[in-house]
Amino acid sequence: MSKYNPYANSTSMHFFGIDFDETLIKKYNQQAPRYTSYPTALEFLPIEADAEQQILSQQNPQTPLSLYIHIPFCRHLCYYCGCNKIITKKNSDAGDYLDYLFAEIRHKKSLLAGKKVKQLHLGGGTPTFLSDDELIRLWQFLQEEFDFDSEGDFSIEIDPRELGDNTLSVLKHLGFNRLSFGVQDLSETVQIAVNRIQPKSLIEAVMNQARHLQFDSINIDLIYGLPHQTTQSMKQTIDEIIKLSPDRLSVFNYAHLPERFAPQRRIDERDLPSAKDKLTMFGNIIETLTQAGYQYIGIDHFAKPDDSMAIAQRTGQLHRNFQGYTILGECDLLGFGVSAISQIGQHITQNPATLADYQQRIQEGLLPAIKHIQSQEKDALRRHVIMNLLCHDRMDFATIRQTFGIDAPTYFADELSELAKMVDDELLYIDETGVQILPKGRILGRNIAMIFDEYSTSKQGRFSKAI
């Protein structure tokens, strides 16, 4: 076992440096889940009759709620997309969809004992496919049905190309305090290749207006590995994005799976960068963003040190759920709309993935969930370990003993033995207090966490590459 421990003399509770070691990444990089839950969504089974009703009716009224509203519509087809989105120009589609959403929300809410909302996120698709009036209508309906915390986290994904002159002002007035939008790449050649054309001037205008309106946090999404991207062009994009100074950044690895996602069939594989270039891009992204002062949160997320997400990580209060990293992990997640996922206590449910199936269930007066996972008592321990490794780079033996009443070194003897090779490569450190992921290991957090996943052994090949 390596005796190297850079944390031994640290006065900080956590150490969040990162060291990009290409050789070690190539050695350990393998398919791994993203762990937005444990068990993961791969364990979904068909839901039993009346199960969703029982789950909702047993929700703890003292547990606050996080609401997720899925708007599946887009006006434009992005060729890199791997989601179930509905491409349409008809505004009437959104109006009809809201009626179905309201019916689902009323039905679920009638079964809940609690109604305190600390978090709301509108995702998609394109939530700003909705008109300003429809956004107001949706917000007012939610306000009538639930009790919103005045200090809550209320976010929405926007498409810079689909904003009215007053849309951002409307969102701010309603109470949204966080925005997220996709840029993907600033190169016009890349934008044309993926059919998402939005000039830098448009991105700047949206950022300037959002800053003027004083949104608390602004997130930008980027993707590396797109057609015609080069290491130099991606560096230029990162440099320009840093000048725009978003509070958070999500930098995703493009996975080309045309056999699964029809839009990707419009991309010529010959135009994609090599695996070597993709790895170089990611290394450059990490180096450039950390030098610019961004804190690497984990997997593909970065945040300014004064952003609430970065603060939550440093204070041990960061969590993960189906919305990714979150500062409000103590909430029950209620998802509404096509393909939306809910997580209530030990239960995870998912709505139908197609609009027609979703609408049919609502029309029949049924609760919409068609898939279900019920985690077992043993899953809680492993969920604790995996989420702490991904959020705080740490597995603390004393906390496990206090929380679960077990001796972690004995219980996880096989897993700790399997980590020995990573200790030798200085990806992590193990001592009598626990496991600490080191800077070289942070990029490979998913691969480290997967060692504690009882479900992963027989399911290799079902996950995306970590990098």
Side-chain angles (χ1 to χ4, degrees):
M1 178 182 296
S2 170
K3 296 184 178 181
Y4 170 66
N5 181 8
Y7 303 91
N9 299 315
S10 174
T11 58
S12 174
M13 177 179 172
H14 300 287
F15 181 85
F16 296 106
I18 184 169
D19 187 352
F20 187 88
D21 189 313
E22 185 171 331
T23 301
L24 291 177
I25 291 170
K26 288 179 178 178
K27 177 178 179 179
Y28 289 102
N29 187 29
Q30 61 177 319
Q31 293 171 329
R34 297 182 63 82
Y35 292 115
T36 51
S37 70
Y38 184 81
T40 72
L42 295 171
E43 308 309 319
F44 272 128
L45 295 171
I47 195 168
E48 296 180 1
D50 299 326
E52 188 174 13
Q53 178 174 331
Q54 295 177 25
I55 293 166
L56 291 168
S57 63
Q58 294 170 7
Q59 191 263 339
N60 186 343
Q62 302 305 313
T63 302
L65 301 174
S66 172
L67 308 183
Y68 173 75
I69 313 291
H70 187 77
I71 309 297
F73 305 106
C74 290
R75 296 188 196 279
H76 314 276
L77 178 65
C78 298
Y79 297 164
Y80 55 79
C81 188
C83 302
N84 292 322
K85 298 180 181 179
I86 300 167
I87 309 301
T88 179
K89 303 291 184 181
K90 296 188 296 182
N91 290 347
S92 60
D93 288 344
D96 293 342
Y97 184 70
L98 284 182
D99 292 335
Y100 287 95
L101 271 179
F102 292 171
E104 180 190 2
I105 292 168
R106 287 193 189 98
H107 195 169
K108 286 184 174 178
K109 190 248 182 179
S110 70
L111 299 168
L112 296 171
K115 56 182 291 187
K116 184 73 171 182
V117 173
K118 295 187 68 173
Q119 187 175 48
L120 167 70
H121 182 67
L122 265 64
T126 305
T128 49
F129 181 94
L130 300 177
S131 68
D132 292 353
D133 288 342
E134 287 168 335
L135 288 166
I136 293 170
R137 181 184 169 209
L138 174 58
W139 181 269
Q140 290 177 340
F141 174 83
L142 293 171
Q143 292 285 325
E144 292 169 0
E145 295 293 322
F146 297 96
D147 178 15
F148 277 65
D149 188 332
S150 60
E151 301 298 321
D153 182 66
F154 309 127
S155 59
I156 182 171
E157 297 171 16
I158 64 172
D159 184 338
R161 303 166 299 173
E162 298 297 332
L163 292 176
D165 293 339
N166 297 315
T167 302
L168 290 185
S169 296
V170 168
L171 293 173
K172 180 64 176 179
H173 178 74
L174 290 176
F176 287 93
N177 48 32
R178 186 160 61 83
L179 300 176
S180 180
F181 61 97
V183 172
Q184 320 315 353
D185 194 293
L186 290 174
S187 164
E188 183 179 9
T189 301
V190 176
Q191 291 182 358
I192 292 172
V194 299
N195 198 39
R196 189 182 179 101
I197 302 171
Q198 46 188 25
K200 179 188 170 185
S201 59
L202 174 61
I203 304 303
E204 283 185 309
V206 171
M207 287 290 293
N208 290 338
Q209 186 181 6
R211 293 290 189 210
H212 177 74
L213 292 169
Q214 298 182 328
F215 281 90
D216 293 344
S217 182
I218 303 170
N219 176 81
I220 282 180
D221 291 344
L222 298 173
I223 299 177
Y224 67 97
L226 294 174
H228 297 295
Q229 275 181 341
T230 66
T231 55
Q232 183 58 36
S233 72
M234 194 66 204
K235 185 178 185 308
Q236 291 173 348
T237 288
I238 293 294
D239 289 341
E240 292 301 317
I241 293 298
I242 288 172
K243 292 177 184 177
L244 296 177
S245 193
D247 301 283
R248 300 178 186 177
L249 279 158
S250 301
V251 188
F252 299 108
N253 168 25
Y254 172 65
H256 189 60
L257 301 169
E259 67 281 2
R260 290 178 55 189
F261 306 119
Q264 296 185 0
R265 295 167 195 166
R266 306 187 185 209
I267 291 177
D268 190 334
E269 292 190 24
R270 294 172 297 183
D271 296 331
L272 296 173
S274 66
K276 182 178 185 300
D277 284 347
K278 281 182 68 176
L279 188 57
T280 300
M281 285 181 200
F282 191 53
N284 291 342
I285 289 166
I286 289 174
E287 180 181 7
T288 305
L289 289 177
T290 53
Q291 286 182 352
Y294 284 88
Q295 179 174 313
Y296 178 66
I297 302 298
I299 303 181
D300 37 35
H301 284 63
F302 300 80
K304 288 183 176 179
D306 59 352
D307 185 87
S308 59
M309 181 175 288
I311 294 171
Q313 185 176 55
R314 295 197 303 272
T315 57
Q317 297 174 317
L318 189 65
H319 304 270
R320 278 185 71 74
N321 64 16
F322 282 100
Q323 295 180 34
Y325 285 106
T326 176
I327 60 176
L328 295 170
E330 77 278 11
C331 297
D332 279 335
L333 174 63
L334 274 178
F336 303 101
V338 174
S339 75
I341 292 176
S342 299
Q343 188 166 5
I344 300 175
Q346 304 305 313
H347 298 272
I348 304 170
T349 61
Q350 184 174 30
N351 288 353
T354 68
L355 180 61
D357 289 343
Y358 170 74
Q359 289 176 325
Q360 181 177 347
R361 291 187 68 82
I362 300 299
Q363 287 172 345
E364 294 174 356
L366 301 173
L367 289 166
I370 60 171
K371 296 180 181 180
H372 177 221
I373 301 170
Q374 179 176 359
S375 62
Q376 307 301 314
E377 286 187 18
K378 64 175 184 176
D379 295 328
L381 169 61
R382 292 181 180 272
R383 181 188 311 114
H384 171 90
V385 171
I386 288 169
M387 295 308 175
N388 273 279
L389 287 170
L390 289 175
C391 292
H392 304 111
D393 304 314
R394 178 76 179 161
M395 173 184 177
D396 187 75
F397 293 160
T399 301
I400 292 173
R401 185 179 302 108
Q402 293 167 5
T403 306
F404 299 97
I406 70 162
D407 180 69
T410 301
Y411 188 91
F412 290 113
D414 291 342
E415 288 84 355
L416 295 175
S417 176
E418 191 173 348
L419 290 176
K421 59 182 181 297
M422 295 184 174
V423 172
D424 292 338
D425 284 330
E426 297 183 351
L427 298 183
L428 51 86
Y429 179 82
I430 303 175
D431 64 10
E432 67 278 2
T433 68
V435 177
Q436 179 69 60
I437 298 178
L438 301 177
K440 288 182 181 179
R442 296 198 66 213
I443 298 173
L444 295 163
R446 290 160 60 187
N447 303 98
I448 295 170
M450 188 168 64
I451 290 173
F452 294 90
D453 181 352
E454 281 193 315
Y455 297 90
S456 69
T457 306
S458 62
K459 298 186 173 68
Q460 299 302 311
R462 293 168 58 183
F463 309 125
S464 60
K465 284 284 188 181
I467 298 171

